[in-house]
Structure formats: structure tokens, C-alpha cells
């Protein structure tokens, strides 16, 4: 499945319909497209197909999951090498000049106008579409859970990552803890803020659309070798389609459907230690 030309021009693609369900799925790194005016970014096709170019396999997981839950899925269609949509505008790794050892010549020496053009063409329309989706739901008084989907490379700088998946969380860890527990009960090795920790600065999507709006949220990372092929993508979509509603039911029982974090619980979670690793390539 690929998005239409119109979707690529818009900077995002939308799949599925929620049919009354609470989940809104977002995939910041699902796409591999490069705007025609940027050519190949000066990066070979082989390099662009690596984890530095996109979150391998998460497109298939997201689309199968959107169909199964059901839910709306909003996907970024451009490569993270063009601009990383999980970074705030101006973040040092928003438009990288080197990623996991691979230079990106087209990103060298950009003028403020060139950077602003990427924000306007890619970053802002994607996040505006997510905001539109969430606004409509909140205005209608519907319970809403933001689920950010990512995948990570199995090996980074010689370290073989042992986790099948990871749950990232920061200021509101309530749904994250429930989901961690459910995934571990499947017999999986699940990272708690591994291979990356969610922070105010290293991430953009969940801080903006989940934490700031006080909407219940999850950030899920799946190891890329498990979802490189369609069979694994379907397996993970089926698993998440089963566990997400279960996690949400537990959350509602404990905290209610609105799920607004009270000040005390938010402050408690701010005392989380600084992460051992910050996001670089492959996040
Ligand atoms: Zn990602």
C-alpha cells in the first residue's frame, strides 16, 4: 500500500476510520519519500532504505492495526532524512547532516528560508492534521488516546538490543505502565524507556499532542527485524489490536475515560531520572 500523489504532496497520509473507538494512531517515521526538488538528498538508495531513512516495518504495522482496531492512522510520508517529524522545529537533529555514520549532503548549509520551507511543506501540515483530528474528537467529548508508533534498529554501534519492543513515557506514565505489563505477560522482553527515553526535548509528537493536551497516550517502539516482513507486521498489529483495548479498559477503570492527570501525578513523574541514552538515529 502506498499513499496517493495528493497525500505525498500534502506531507501526510490518512488511513482507516475510528468507528467510535478511542485510539488515534500516528507514525512520524513511516515514510520514505523525498520531495522531487531535493533529488536523492545525495544519499544512495541503499542507505535511504536503512533505518536512518525511515522506521522499517512500521507502515505495515500501523495500517493493519488501523484496520483491526479500527482507528484513524496519520502517517508522515516523507523520509526522516528530509526532516524529522518527531523533533521540534530547530532541534539539532531535526534536519541531520549525518545519521548513523551516513552523510546527508543535501542537508548541509541550509539557509533559514530553506529550513522554513521544509517546516511549511512537511512538518507543520502533518502536525496540523493530527491536531485537527484530536480537536474534532475533544470538541465532540469523545475519549481519545494518542498512540505513537515507531520501530528501532536491532543493533546500534555494536550493541545488540535485547528488547522485542519498548514503551516510552515521561510526564504521564499511567497507560504506559499498564501496557508494559500486558506486553510482558505475553512473554516478551519489553524495554521501559528503552531503547530510548521519552523526554521534553528529544521527542515532539507525544509532548505536543499527548502530554500538553493531557490526553492519555502511548509511545511504542518495535524492533525492526520482527516487523521487516508482512507476517511480522500482521502479528504485531494483531497483538496491539488485542492489547490496546485491554489497556484502555484497565486505564478507564482506574482513572476514568477523561483520564486527565492531576497535578500531583504529573509532578511525581517529573522526577524520572535523566535517560541513559538520548535519541539519535533509529529512534
Ligand atoms: Zn521512529
Amino acid at each position: 500500500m502506498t499513499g496517493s500523489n495528493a497525500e505525498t504532496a500534502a506531507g501526510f497520509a490518512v488511513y482507516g476510520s475510528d468507528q467510535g473507538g478511542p485510539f488515534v494512531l500516528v507514525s512520524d517515521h513511516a515514510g520514505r519519500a523525498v520531495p522531487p526538488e531535493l533529488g536523492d538528498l545525495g544519499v544512495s538508495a541503499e542507505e535511504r532504505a536503512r533505518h536512518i531513512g525511515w522506521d522499517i516495518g512500521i507502515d505495515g504495522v500501523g495500517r493493519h492495526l488501523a484496520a483491526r482496531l479500527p482507528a484513524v492512522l496519520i502517517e508522515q510520508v516523507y523520509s526522516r532524512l528530509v526532516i524529522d517529524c518527531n523533533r521540534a522545529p530547530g532541534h539539532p537533529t531535526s534536519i541531520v547532516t549525518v545519521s548513523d555514520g551516513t552523510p546527508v549532503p543535501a542537508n548541509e548549509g541550509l539557509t533559514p528560508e530553506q529550513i522554513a520551507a521544509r517546516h511549511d511543506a512537511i512538518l507543520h501540515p502533518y502536525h496540523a492534521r493530527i491536531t485537527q483530528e484530536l480537536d474534532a474528537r475533544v470538541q465532540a467529548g469523545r475519549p481519545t488516546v494518542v498512540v505513537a508508533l515507531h520501530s528501532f534498529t536491532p543493533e546500534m554501534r555494536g550493541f545488540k538490543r535485547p528488547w522485542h519492543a519498548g514503551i516510552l513515557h515521561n510526564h504521564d506514565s499511567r497507560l504506559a505502565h499498564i501496557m508494559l505489563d500486558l506486553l510482558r505477560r505475553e512473554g516478551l522482553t519489553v524495554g521501559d524507556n528503552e531503547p530510548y527515553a521519552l523526554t521534553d526535548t528529544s521527542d515532539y509528537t507525544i509532548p505536543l499532542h499527548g502530554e500538553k493536551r493531557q490526553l492519555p497516550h502511548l509511545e511504542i517502539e518495535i524492533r525492526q527485524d520482527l516487523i521487516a516482513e508482512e507476517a511480522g507486521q500482521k502479528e504485531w498489529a494483531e497483538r496491539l489490536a488485542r492489547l490496546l483495548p485491554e489497556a484502555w479498559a484497565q486505564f478507564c477503570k482506574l482513572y476514568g475515560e477523561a483520564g486527565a492527570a492531576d497535578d500531583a501525578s504529573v509532578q511525581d513523574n517529573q522526577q524520572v531520572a535523566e535517560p541513559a541514552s538520548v535519541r539519535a538515529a533509529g529512534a
Side-chain angles (χ1 to χ4, degrees):
M1 283 179 284
T2 52
S4 69
N5 289 337
E7 286 166 338
T8 303
F12 55 82
V14 183
Y15 295 87
S17 67
D18 59 58
Q19 294 176 39
F23 302 103
V24 175
L25 310 176
V26 297
S27 283
D28 301 334
H29 301 144
R32 297 170 61 179
V34 177
E37 63 274 20
L38 298 180
D40 61 4
L41 297 171
V43 180
S44 72
E46 194 183 14
E47 287 287 323
R48 278 183 282 119
R50 291 208 301 134
H51 73 93
I52 61 172
W54 62 312
D55 279 5
I56 293 166
I58 209 64
D59 54 345
V61 173
R63 293 169 200 178
H64 286 301
L65 180 59
R68 284 190 161 263
L69 274 170
V72 167
L73 164 69
I74 301 168
E75 253 186 20
Q76 176 52 249
V77 300
Y78 287 110
S79 170
R80 59 184 303 174
L81 293 176
V82 179
I83 186 166
D84 190 330
C85 285
N86 194 27
R87 300 293 183 275
H91 187 277
T93 60
S94 165
I95 301 175
V96 291
T97 52
V98 179
S99 184
D100 193 21
T102 300
V104 188
N107 292 350
E108 288 284 358
L110 296 181
T111 65
E113 291 73 24
Q114 286 172 314
I115 292 169
R118 293 198 199 178
H119 292 164
D120 292 344
I122 300 171
L123 182 77
H124 294 324
Y126 170 68
H127 285 289
R129 182 64 184 80
I130 298 172
T131 298
Q132 178 198 329
E133 191 72 24
L134 299 178
D135 282 351
R137 298 182 58 103
V138 170
Q139 278 159 20
R142 300 179 57 195
T144 297
V145 184
V146 185
V147 180
L149 299 169
H150 292 270
S151 70
F152 61 94
T153 186
E155 190 173 329
M156 181 58 90
R157 296 182 195 97
F159 173 60
K160 285 193 167 53
R161 291 162 158 175
W163 313 283
H164 297 104
I167 298 292
L168 316 189
H169 54 97
N170 186 15
H171 293 301
D172 181 356
S173 300
R174 296 173 300 168
L175 191 55
H177 284 149
I178 294 169
M179 194 63 180
L180 259 169
D181 201 39
L182 288 174
L183 282 165
R184 284 173 173 168
R185 274 194 231 165
E186 305 265 300
L188 298 166
T189 302
V190 187
D192 182 348
N193 270 330
E194 296 279 8
Y196 303 99
L198 178 63
T199 72
D200 293 337
T201 51
S202 62
D203 286 70
Y204 186 52
T205 298
I206 286 297
L208 178 67
H209 299 294
E211 292 176 335
K212 201 169 164 188
R213 298 184 70 138
Q214 297 206 356
L215 290 173
H217 53 267
L218 279 173
E219 183 157 349
I220 303 174
E221 293 263 5
I222 306 170
R223 207 176 66 206
Q224 288 170 357
D225 57 306
L226 304 175
I227 54 171
E229 307 294 334
E230 192 173 21
Q233 294 165 7
K234 279 187 172 167
E235 183 192 325
W236 271 90
E238 282 165 19
R239 176 176 290 124
L240 294 177
R242 180 164 46 82
L243 297 184
L244 283 170
E246 202 178 326
W248 178 236
Q250 286 190 27
F251 181 96
C252 290
K253 216 169 155 185
L254 288 166
Y255 308 110
E257 277 196 339
D262 60 38
D263 287 348
S265 70
V266 169
Q267 278 164 14
D268 282 350
N269 284 323
Q270 281 174 346
Q271 291 164 10
V272 172
E274 280 300 299
S277 57
V278 291
R279 285 169 171 278

